[in-house]
C-alpha cells in the first residue's frame, strides 16, 4: 500500500515538472519553428524534448533503461517498426533516430500545446477510420521522407497493448519499406511493464530495449515481410 502510494506520488511529481517544462517548450516551438532549418527541426525541437522527458522519468519515477543492439541502427534512412505498449517508447525512438518522421493518429493534433506544436513539425498524421486514404498517405509522405534520408517510425500494432502482449501487425511498415526500397529496423521492448498503457502510474524498474538487425524488404511478399518483422519482435520481446 505504501509502495503504491509512493509510485503515485512520484508520478504526480513527474507530470508536474513535465508540464512545467513542456508547455513553455511547445509554445516556443509554435513561435520559432519557421526560423529553424527544416532538417534541424526534429533534433532541436523533438529530440531535445524527449531527452528531457525521459530524464525526468528516470530521476523522478525511477524508470531506467538498457539498450541492446545499438550497432544495428543503420546510417541510412529506414523504416523503424516497434511494438507499442506505452508513451515511453514514443519518446525513446525520437532519440534513437534523428531526423525522422513518425506515423501518428490525427487526433493527437487536438491535444493542447503538445499536439499544436507537433503539428508544425510535419509528422505523418493519419485518420485510422479511413484506412485506404491513411495507407496512401503513409506511402506518399513516407517515401518523400525516406528519399530525403529521414527515418520513418511506425508502430505496426496501430494501438498500445498491455505488456507482455504483442498484437497483430498491420502491413503499413512493410509496404512502405518495400515501396521506398529501404530496410525495416525491428525494435522490441517491455516499457509497458513499468509505464503501463491506459494508466498514469509509473513503477520503478529497468526497461529492456532490443534493436534487431535490419530486415531486407525487397523481393518479398508484403505479408511475409510483415510476419518476419513481427516474428523477430515476438522472439526478442523481453
Amino acid at each position: 500500500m505504501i509502495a503504491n502510494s509512493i509510485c503515485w506520488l512520484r508520478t504526480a511529481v513527474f507530470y508536474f515538472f513535465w508540464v512545467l517544462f513542456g508547455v513553455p517548450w511547445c509554445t516556443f516551438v509554435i513561435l520559432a519553428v519557421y526560423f529553424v532549418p527544416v532538417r534541424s527541426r526534429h533534433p532541436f525541437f523533438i529530440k531535445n524534448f524527449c531527452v528531457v522527458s525521459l530524464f525526468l522519468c528516470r530521476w523522478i519515477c525511477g524508470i531506467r533503461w538498457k539498450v541492446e543492439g545499438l550497432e544495428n541502427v543503420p546510417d541510412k534512412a529506414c523504416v523503424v517498426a516497434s511494438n507499442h505498449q506505452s508513451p515511453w517508447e514514443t519518446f525513446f525512438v525520437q532519440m534513437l533516430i534523428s531526423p525522422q518522421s513518425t506515423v501518428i493518429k490525427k487526433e493527437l493534433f487536438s491535444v493542447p500545446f503538445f499536439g499544436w506544436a507537433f503539428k508544425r513539425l510535419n509528422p505523418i498524421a493519419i485518420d485510422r477510420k479511413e484506412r485506404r486514404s491513411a495507407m496512401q498517405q503513409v506511402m506518399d509522405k513516407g517515401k518523400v521522407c525516406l528519399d530525403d534520408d529521414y527515418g520513418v517510425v511506425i508502430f505496426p500494432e496501430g494501438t498500445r497493448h498491455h505488456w507482455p502482449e504483442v498484437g497483430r501487425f498491420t502491413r503499413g511498415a512493410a509496404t512502405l519499406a518495400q515501396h521506398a526500397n529501404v530496410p525495416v529496423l525491428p525494435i522490441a521492448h517491455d516499457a509497458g511493464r513499468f509505464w503501463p498503457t491506459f494508466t498514469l502510474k509509473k513503477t520503478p524498474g529497468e526497461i529492456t530495449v532490443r534493436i534487431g538487425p535490419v530486415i531486407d524488404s525487397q523481393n518479398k511478399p508484403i505479408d511475409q515481410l510483415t510476419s518476419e518483422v513481427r516474428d523477430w519482435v515476438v522472439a526478442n520481446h523481453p
Side-chain angles (χ1 to χ4, degrees):
M1 183 69 178
I2 294 176
N4 185 59
S5 297
I6 291 174
C7 284
W8 276 111
L9 177 61
R10 296 174 80 172
T11 298
V13 173
F14 164 76
Y15 278 112
F16 173 78
F17 282 104
W18 188 65
V19 172
L20 194 66
F21 159 71
V23 170
W25 183 257
C26 291
T27 303
F28 171 64
V29 171
I30 293 169
L31 297 174
V33 63
Y34 299 110
F35 298 98
V36 176
V38 173
R39 197 167 185 83
S40 299
R41 291 175 186 174
H42 181 272
F44 183 71
F45 292 120
I46 298 182
K47 184 176 180 179
N48 284 329
F49 173 78
C50 293
V51 167
V52 173
S53 298
L54 292 194
F55 172 85
L56 292 173
C57 186
R58 177 172 186 148
W59 294 107
I60 297 174
C61 298
I63 298 180
R64 309 175 309 280
W65 61 92
K66 65 177 180 180
V67 183
E68 302 171 5
L70 268 176
E71 68 279 3
N72 292 322
V73 178
D75 296 329
K76 298 290 185 180
C78 64
V79 174
V80 179
S82 169
N83 62 312
H84 199 14
Q85 294 179 354
S86 82
W88 185 91
E89 65 270 12
T90 65
F91 294 130
F92 174 79
V93 293
Q94 303 295 333
M95 301 190 314
L96 182 67
I97 293 179
S98 186
Q100 63 158 267
S101 186
T102 305
V103 177
I104 65 169
K105 56 185 180 182
K106 194 174 183 179
E107 303 94 280
L108 290 178
F109 285 164
S110 63
V111 177
F113 293 101
F114 298 96
W116 303 340
F118 203 17
K119 184 176 182 178
R120 286 163 173 77
L121 295 168
N122 205 31
I124 303 172
I126 60 172
D127 183 348
R128 292 187 297 183
K129 297 177 183 177
E130 301 291 338
R131 293 190 176 184
R132 182 171 296 180
S133 62
M135 176 65 80
Q136 190 60 51
Q137 188 174 6
V138 170
M139 294 304 102
D140 294 344
K141 201 167 182 179
K143 188 175 187 306
V144 170
C145 291
L146 290 162
D147 287 346
D148 287 341
D149 204 26
Y150 283 66
V152 173
V153 173
I154 298 178
F155 295 99
E157 291 163 290
T159 190
R160 285 173 278 179
H161 287 71
H162 293 284
W163 176 85
E165 179 185 354
V166 178
R168 184 183 69 87
F169 276 24
T170 61
R171 294 157 49 100
T175 305
L176 173 59
Q178 195 167 90
H179 180 58
N181 192 24
V182 299
V184 179
L185 182 70
I187 296 177
H189 62 84
D190 60 349
R193 183 184 299 191
F194 308 105
W195 185 336
T197 190
F198 309 124
T199 181
L200 296 176
K201 189 180 80 169
K202 295 158 186 56
T203 305
E206 185 175 72
I207 295 169
T208 298
V209 180
R210 292 178 178 149
I211 303 170
V214 293
I215 299 174
D216 183 57
S217 65
Q218 296 308 294
N219 303 315
K220 295 176 183 176
I222 297 298
D223 288 341
Q224 178 187 331
L225 179 57
T226 300
S227 294
E228 280 188 41
V229 176
R230 186 181 184 277
D231 289 347
W232 189 94
V233 170
V234 170
N236 291 275
H237 190 273

